[in-house]
Amino acid sequence: MAKTILIADDSSSLRTVVRLALERAGYAVIDACDGQDALAKLEATQKVHLIVSDVNMPTMDGITFLTRAKQHARHKFTPVIMLTTEGQDEKKQLGRAAGAKAWIVKPFNPPQLLDAVSKLILP
């Protein structure tokens, strides 16, 4: 059975690129258009093995989404990769404090993302 990855990004084209790369690598993908949508989908899904989230999104940003997701016992240890245009150390520190395990700055290349996913995804 394929491992499930949740992608949260307000750019539908970026979600498509990430989804295609992950699906080609054999993962099941759920996508969400912002943090609030991602939280709802996270709660509705039995098991998510990894989360890929943008930082800057409308309705609920990625750091807030991550903080809220980590408050739930079921998602406390779910690894998170932040995929964002933000490269400042201050944002990275906020992300780490919220529970992010990796930080990839856009534009990115799919092999770089797949490498991080393979290292971090839950068994």
Side-chain angles (χ1 to χ4, degrees):
M1 189 165 143
K3 293 184 178 183
T4 303
I5 298 176
L6 173 71
I7 306 166
D9 199 298
D10 56 318
S11 165
S12 62
S13 58
L14 185 101
R15 286 196 313 268
T16 299
V17 169
V18 173
R19 182 180 341 101
L20 289 172
L22 293 170
E23 286 176 346
R24 283 187 192 124
Y27 298 106
V29 177
I30 300 166
D31 56 346
C33 62
D34 60 42
Q36 192 168 329
D37 187 32
L39 261 186
K41 289 182 175 170
L42 202 54
E43 290 311 306
T45 306
Q46 189 61 35
K47 174 83 171 163
V48 171
H49 297 86
L50 184 117
I51 297 167
V52 177
S53 179
D54 189 7
V55 171
N56 298 314
M57 296 182 286
T59 314
M60 183 188 295
D61 69 88
I63 304 289
T64 304
F65 157 62
L66 180 50
T67 303
R68 295 213 183 142
K70 293 291 186 175
Q71 290 172 348
H72 296 276
R74 195 169 59 165
H75 310 299
K76 189 172 186 156
F77 299 107
T78 304
V80 178
I81 297 171
M82 301 308 283
L83 180 60
T84 179
T85 57
E86 298 288 347
Q88 304 94 331
D89 285 340
E90 183 183 322
K91 288 280 186 184
K92 290 179 181 179
Q93 287 171 355
L94 285 172
R96 272 194 287 280
K101 295 290 183 217
W103 194 278
I104 298 174
V105 177
K106 298 174 191 171
F108 73 103
N109 60 41
Q112 176 190 20
L113 176 65
L114 291 172
D115 185 51
V117 166
S118 68
K119 288 176 181 165
L120 293 172
I121 197 159
L122 290 176

